[in-house]
Amino acid sequence: MHVLSSLDDNSTQSVEESVLAALMAIGRLMRQRTASDIDPGTFWLLHTLRCNGALRVTELAAKMSLDSSTVSRHVQQLDRSGLVERKADPDDGRAQLVDVSARGHELLNEGFAQRKAALIQHFVSWDREDVEALERLLNKFVNDIDSTIAELEQK
């Protein structure tokens, strides 16, 4: 029996549908607003900036597989909130780089701490071996996705 709601109530859920439903449920959990009050969409944008360092908006959009205009709107929102800072691109003075501000780092740390606490709460009844197996399989899954995307981008 699948705990998650079926994507198609008229048939038994396939393994793929069950995984998709589980990923959507996990996504909902990770997108919930936290006390840090960063919009869930911009939270991941800030995280991407922190992982990659200062980037042009177009580079950030490419890393996130999003449209530049969408990322530009998010960056403007983050800039107004003081969560990013802009600086001249040393390679091209006409262009700007966007980077996470000190306040942005602080809110990211709070947001990750809150999300980690939520995960810990959900894993309380799990055997440690099961948590480790989930970690291993999720990493394998993400690495496979990254490899597939890299191959497609080379074509």
Side-chain angles (χ1 to χ4, degrees):
M1 178 176 118
H2 297 282
V3 176
L4 301 169
S5 301
S6 175
L7 298 176
D8 177 4
D9 290 333
N10 296 326
S11 66
T12 304
Q13 223 176 15
S14 70
V15 170
E16 294 80 8
E17 289 169 330
S18 182
V19 169
L20 180 59
L23 290 172
M24 290 186 319
I26 292 167
R28 278 193 312 275
L29 173 67
M30 293 295 109
R31 283 189 307 273
Q32 291 176 356
R33 279 194 185 265
T34 62
S36 67
D37 205 30
I38 298 176
D39 175 78
T42 55
F43 181 86
W44 296 112
L45 189 143
L46 267 180
H47 174 65
T48 301
L49 269 178
R50 179 162 68 179
C51 291
N52 291 279
L55 295 170
R56 292 181 182 189
V57 169
T58 53
E59 294 169 325
L60 180 58
K63 289 212 178 283
M64 298 192 70
S65 300
L66 294 172
D67 183 76
S68 291
S69 63
T70 300
V71 172
S72 182
R73 281 192 308 275
H74 284 301
V75 167
Q76 288 172 355
Q77 176 188 356
L78 291 167
D79 192 24
R80 284 191 303 270
S81 300
L83 302 178
V84 296
E85 39 194 36
R86 297 174 187 260
K87 54 188 171 187
D89 184 338
D91 297 329
D92 181 356
R94 299 167 297 166
Q96 284 190 329
L97 298 177
V98 180
D99 204 358
V100 181
S101 70
R103 179 71 179 136
H105 281 287
E106 184 180 312
L107 287 181
L108 271 173
N109 291 340
E110 289 174 14
F112 272 103
Q114 291 164 356
R115 285 168 174 83
K116 181 180 175 183
L119 284 176
I120 289 169
Q121 175 186 352
H122 293 290
F123 286 142
V124 120
S125 64
W126 285 44
D127 291 333
R128 186 70 193 162
E129 296 79 23
D130 289 342
V131 175
E132 290 169 356
L134 177 63
E135 175 196 22
R136 181 181 53 76
L137 292 170
L138 284 174
N139 281 319
K140 180 181 182 347
F141 184 58
V142 169
N143 288 335
D144 287 350
I145 290 171
D146 286 344
S147 294
T148 301
I149 291 170
E151 288 172 14
L152 291 173
E153 287 175 349
Q154 291 178 1
K155 291 181 181 182

